[in-house]
Amino acid sequence: MESLVQFTQQQLEQSTKASESQCHQVAERIVEEVNRICRESDRIQRTGEVGKWQKNLAEHRIRQCLNYYKLGSRRGRVELQSTLSAIIYRYISLRQGISSYQAKVNLIEDFLQGFYAETLNAFRREADVLPTYSPRSLLELSEYMAFTERYAKRRITFSRGRSQQLIILRAQTFSQQQPLEASVDMTAAESSFSRDDKEWEGVAMQQLRTYMATQGEDNELTDRNLRETVAQELIQYLEEKQQLDCIDYFVLRLRDCATAEIESVLGLTPRQRDYLQQRFKYHLIRFALSHNWELVHQWLGATLEQNLGLTPSQWDNLLEELSDPQQKLLELKQQGLTHKEIAKSLSLTPSQTDKLWGKLLETAWDLRNKTLT
């Protein structure tokens, strides 16, 4: 490891104007990342040529870093922005559709600002630097931009060997979270590409640095949002129920794949896909109304403290529709009793209590989603 650090440091010193200490710190971080990859990769370990892989990976990272260093601060950021924008362009959209290229560029910029902060937090964790670390020198900024490009292109593996780049998954989630009523004022919108270089550098980097400074103590806020937690819990639930094909269907639905595309990827006929869809719907309802109802309702903004998301009139209607055992169950839930305490108080088994509560939530669900005709 020491010889690889010396080799990496020497390459950086020969090709940059950074100080010896800066080159040494960056070299150590590069080699540490390379060693971690080689340790955790079964494929690399099976080759029996771990040392060769370490040097090849280190050289690759050196080239990436030096490429951004030679471009400089401004051109390097523009190059990174262009690379990532090209990857996610087709996956970024408002839910009701975008009518112009300019509006899409603005939305991509919004997404990438958050992604850069997520990447910095990932870099802090993986490089084992201080939670408040930010790149200061040109070499450190180049190191961070090279890491950002690699982080964006990481492959996230699903079941049955399928995978997708991390930044695409993030972009799809970002697009799905856009509100239905979102709109863009085209008379006021201004793209960074229309600004002169000095203004772009001042505005864009100031926004990023401000975000970096304020997110130090909450460095997992971006990638651990509530929606992703719900999705992860649902996948775990489906794994416990041994419904791996439902997981595949769910992942493709998250990617907003068309019905024909889902059938093609999973190798299903329309009838088989319809059966799988119905089975997934059954487990989804079980998950939402029984298995993890609190998390789902928190995500929907429909917790018990919020009257299950019902309006005052809908809440009154719910109370009128409930049976006596359901009304008692609701009162005990509002008092904060545990599941076992409630079951004992109602002289029911835990399973019976679950079913009773699930029917109550289903009634509230129907009321909440009822539309006027």
Side-chain angles (χ1 to χ4, degrees):
M1 178 175 175
E2 185 62 31
S3 60
L4 189 57
V5 171
Q6 293 175 352
F7 168 78
T8 304
Q9 179 179 343
Q10 183 181 22
Q11 295 297 309
L12 296 176
E13 289 179 349
Q14 291 176 350
S15 304
T16 71
K17 297 180 180 179
S19 66
E20 180 180 346
S21 61
Q22 288 179 347
C23 291
H24 181 72
Q25 291 172 357
V26 172
E28 283 188 326
R29 289 195 288 264
I30 289 176
V31 173
E32 179 58 35
E33 180 189 8
V34 166
N35 287 338
R36 175 177 55 79
I37 292 172
C38 291
R39 285 196 307 269
E40 297 176 358
S41 173
D42 293 335
R43 181 172 62 88
I44 292 177
Q45 293 293 327
R46 287 195 297 267
T47 64
E49 299 179 330
V50 177
K52 181 179 179 181
W53 275 97
Q54 288 174 325
K55 186 172 182 180
N56 288 340
L57 290 173
E59 290 177 339
H60 173 258
R61 279 149 179 74
I62 292 170
R63 287 195 298 271
Q64 276 191 313
C65 183
L66 292 179
N67 179 58
Y68 281 109
Y69 185 90
K70 292 174 182 177
L71 289 173
S73 174
R74 179 183 59 80
R75 288 179 57 203
R77 290 194 296 271
V78 172
E79 178 68 20
L80 177 62
Q81 182 101 348
S82 299
T83 300
L84 301 186
S85 297
I87 295 174
I88 64 173
Y89 182 83
R90 60 171 294 199
Y91 301 97
I92 290 287
S93 65
L94 290 171
R95 291 177 64 182
Q96 79 276 18
I98 289 182
S99 59
S100 73
Y101 168 79
Q102 182 65 66
K104 195 161 190 174
V105 168
N106 290 337
L107 200 59
I108 288 174
E109 289 180 357
D110 289 342
F111 164 75
L112 287 178
Q113 285 300 313
F115 185 76
Y116 292 148
E118 173 189 347
T119 306
L120 178 63
N121 292 326
F123 179 80
R124 288 166 174 167
R125 292 192 304 271
E126 297 184 12
D128 195 23
V129 295
L130 294 176
T132 56
Y133 170 86
S134 292
R136 300 298 180 186
S137 67
L138 178 57
L139 179 59
E140 290 177 341
L141 181 60
S142 302
E143 176 194 21
Y144 163 69
M145 289 191 289
F147 175 86
T148 298
E149 182 179 342
R150 293 195 302 273
Y151 181 80
K153 294 178 179 179
R154 285 183 183 179
R155 308 294 300 190
I156 305 301
T157 303
F158 307 118
S159 60
R160 303 184 185 180
R162 284 183 294 276
S163 65
Q164 184 59 278
Q165 289 181 323
L166 184 145
I167 193 172
I168 291 178
L169 296 178
R170 292 287 191 267
Q172 290 172 329
T173 300
F174 174 83
S175 293
Q176 291 165 0
Q177 289 175 335
Q178 296 303 304
L180 287 172
E181 66 274 11
S183 61
V184 177
D185 181 2
M186 293 307 300
T187 62
E190 180 184 46
S191 168
S192 66
F193 296 109
S194 66
R195 303 175 185 142
D196 60 59
D197 293 338
K198 185 176 181 180
E199 183 181 359
W200 187 92
E201 179 178 356
V203 175
M205 287 309 296
Q206 184 60 40
Q207 289 176 347
L208 179 57
R209 286 170 180 162
T210 300
Y211 194 100
M212 291 174 179
T214 57
Q215 295 298 314
E217 296 180 358
D218 194 14
N219 57 13
E220 293 185 351
L221 180 62
T222 302
D223 55 284
R224 295 191 61 183
N225 58 64
L226 190 54
R227 183 183 183 279
E228 290 182 346
T229 302
V230 172
Q232 291 166 2
E233 289 289 335
L234 176 56
I235 290 175
Q236 182 178 347
Y237 166 79
L238 293 172
E239 287 177 344
E240 293 171 355
K241 299 297 182 180
Q242 298 182 344
Q243 298 293 324
L244 299 183
D245 49 352
C246 286
I247 295 177
D248 292 337
Y249 177 81
F250 176 51
V251 169
L252 293 173
R253 292 295 298 169
L254 284 178
R255 293 172 58 186
D256 201 25
C257 292
T259 299
E261 187 176 0
I262 292 175
E263 293 171 356
S264 175
V265 171
L266 298 183
L268 302 176
T269 64
R271 181 168 183 160
Q272 290 172 327
R273 191 268 313 153
D274 183 66
Y275 174 72
L276 176 59
Q277 180 177 322
Q278 295 302 318
R279 184 149 48 90
F280 171 74
K281 182 178 179 181
Y282 166 79
H283 285 288
L284 178 62
I285 292 174
R286 291 278 298 172
F287 173 82
L289 299 183
S290 177
H291 178 79
N292 211 332
W293 74 270
E294 291 175 310
L295 178 62
V296 174
H297 282 68
Q298 181 185 356
W299 172 45
L300 297 175
T303 62
L304 195 56
E305 291 75 14
Q306 298 167 308
N307 288 343
L308 300 177
L310 300 174
T311 64
S313 61
Q314 289 174 332
W315 181 256
D316 291 339
N317 291 337
L318 173 67
L319 296 179
E320 291 177 1
E321 292 187 28
L322 297 182
S323 64
D324 291 340
Q326 286 177 324
Q327 289 183 355
K328 181 62 176 177
L329 171 59
L330 180 60
E331 292 175 2
L332 296 175
K333 284 278 189 180
Q334 291 174 323
Q335 293 173 18
L337 271 65
T338 65
H339 187 69
K340 290 184 178 180
E341 291 172 338
I342 293 174
K344 183 177 180 180
S345 178
L346 297 176
S347 300
L348 299 173
T349 65
S351 178
Q352 291 172 328
T353 305
D354 283 338
K355 291 180 180 178
L356 191 64
W357 180 245
K359 290 185 178 297
L360 188 154
L361 290 178
E362 191 172 354
T363 302
W365 191 290
D366 291 339
L367 286 171
R368 186 168 59 248
N369 293 284
K370 187 178 295 183
T371 58
L372 297 176
T373 58

